[in-house]
Amino acid sequence: MKKFSFSLQKILEIKEQVLDNLKIEMGNLNRELNTVEQQIKNLKTEFKQLNDEFVEKCAVSVSVGEMTYYKMYMDNVLKQTEKKKKKKI
């Protein structure tokens, strides 16, 4: 009967393969994180522009319908921002 021999080289190869897979996964997660952060930044910019427009219209004259529209739209943007922040975590 042939004697069993085990090479540590095989263990090293397996660990390197696992490490490579983890590096790829980390890269994908970082890319997804960057995308979510950019989306949050865009939503914050959109909210600021919307709020500035709302304040400008309120200074002149705004109907109740328009005011409701702006408030609902701004609330929606804030909710989307919160969802993205939770996804980021």
Side-chain angles (χ1 to χ4, degrees):
M1 182 178 227
K2 189 174 180 183
K3 189 172 180 178
F4 178 75
S5 66
F6 190 78
S7 166
L8 292 178
Q9 183 65 32
K10 190 67 175 170
I11 293 175
L12 178 62
E13 289 171 3
I14 292 170
K15 287 192 174 219
E16 286 175 346
Q17 183 181 10
V18 169
L19 179 62
D20 289 342
N21 289 340
L22 288 173
K23 284 180 181 179
I24 290 169
E25 186 177 345
M26 178 64 88
N28 291 339
L29 289 172
N30 280 334
R31 208 171 310 110
E32 186 177 334
L33 176 64
N34 290 337
T35 300
V36 170
E37 286 176 343
Q38 184 62 42
Q39 289 172 341
I40 290 171
K41 184 179 175 183
N42 291 345
L43 285 168
K44 285 181 178 181
T45 302
E46 181 181 0
F47 180 81
K48 184 181 180 330
Q49 290 172 347
L50 193 59
N51 192 48
D52 291 345
E53 186 179 324
F54 176 69
V55 168
E56 187 178 301
K57 286 203 176 203
C58 282
V60 177
S61 176
V62 65
S63 70
V64 175
E66 282 182 304
M67 189 178 293
T68 305
Y69 166 77
Y70 278 103
K71 289 294 183 181
M72 287 175 43
Y73 192 12
M74 287 190 285
D75 285 342
N76 186 19
V77 171
L78 287 176
K79 286 178 186 175
Q80 286 180 15
T81 304
E82 288 304 314
K83 282 183 185 177
K84 296 294 180 183
K85 285 181 181 178
K86 286 179 183 177
K87 185 177 180 180
K88 181 179 168 182
I89 295 172

